[in-house]
Amino acid sequence: MIAKLKPFILSFIIIIADQVTKALVVKYIPLNTVKYSLFNDFLRIVHVRNDAVAFSLGSNLDMPVKIVLFIILPLVLIAAVSYYIVKDEKEFTRFQKYLLAGFAGGGIGNLIDRIFRGMSVVDFISTDNYGFLGMERFPTYNIADASVVICVILLLISMLIGGKEKE
């Protein structure tokens, strides 16, 4: 049983890294300001709040709808993902279970913000997008967001390329 829980170590690391960095941003960077500009302005460390989801989708929704979409639904999704991490059947490889755990960790990191920071998420990483898709800068994100995106992309690639092969 202990072996089944090992992927949650990754979840825990992501949650801690996410929450520590967000706490530092809140403490040392005033809201809506740029503190650092690095690598010829490719990377900025800023402090902004997002009261919606990716690309600020849903910021105009009523609070009851936000609670359902941004707290209850993610909790159900994280519970389902956690179930598949510990499930005995071989639907996912060990690597894929770690990716699911990374996804869950990122989701929990942002849920913590939504619950304890007034339904908003602290974002602080701003990168230059070089005009790709008509955006000068990519929407600001955090460690939890990056974890979710990277883990989902790697999971999809591993499912397309690797299938359910034995490790």
Side-chain angles (χ1 to χ4, degrees):
M1 180 64 180
I2 299 288
K4 291 181 190 181
L5 299 177
K6 280 186 180 179
F8 291 109
I9 294 170
L10 178 60
S11 301
F12 181 73
I13 290 168
I14 290 167
I15 293 165
I16 296 301
D18 180 63
Q19 290 301 305
V20 166
T21 54
K22 288 174 179 175
L24 290 170
V25 165
V26 168
K27 182 172 181 171
Y28 293 109
I29 303 175
L31 186 60
N32 297 320
T33 62
V34 176
K35 180 73 171 182
Y36 301 104
S37 180
L38 308 164
F39 310 114
N40 202 24
D41 202 37
F42 169 75
L43 172 67
R44 292 180 188 164
I45 305 300
V46 302
H47 180 183
V48 296
R49 300 289 176 109
N50 185 357
D51 67 346
V53 291
F55 305 102
S56 296
L57 295 173
S59 61
N60 294 327
L61 294 173
D62 292 332
M63 188 55 70
V65 176
K66 281 185 175 184
I67 289 170
V68 170
L69 292 178
F70 303 160
I71 294 181
I72 296 171
L73 187 62
L75 280 171
V76 170
L77 182 60
I78 290 167
V81 166
S82 298
Y83 169 75
Y84 279 103
I85 292 170
V86 297
K87 189 176 177 185
D88 278 334
E89 296 174 25
K90 301 294 181 192
E91 292 179 43
F92 295 99
T93 66
R94 185 174 359 165
F95 176 66
Q96 291 169 338
K97 287 183 179 191
Y98 274 90
L99 293 174
L100 289 172
F103 172 83
I108 293 168
N110 281 336
L111 265 175
I112 291 169
D113 276 23
R114 292 194 192 289
I115 293 168
F116 296 105
R117 289 195 168 106
M119 287 298 290
S120 68
V121 174
V122 175
D123 288 331
F124 60 92
I125 303 167
S126 174
T127 53
D128 196 331
N129 207 35
Y130 301 109
F132 182 68
L133 298 175
M135 295 185 294
E136 188 58 36
R137 298 199 71 79
F138 194 78
T140 308
Y141 58 98
N142 56 49
I143 289 175
D145 296 334
S147 175
V148 167
V149 169
I150 290 168
C151 289
V152 166
I153 290 170
L154 289 175
L155 181 63
L156 291 173
I157 291 170
S158 75
M159 292 173 99
L160 290 172
I161 293 175
K164 298 176 190 170
E165 299 170 359
K166 285 276 186 188
E167 299 166 33

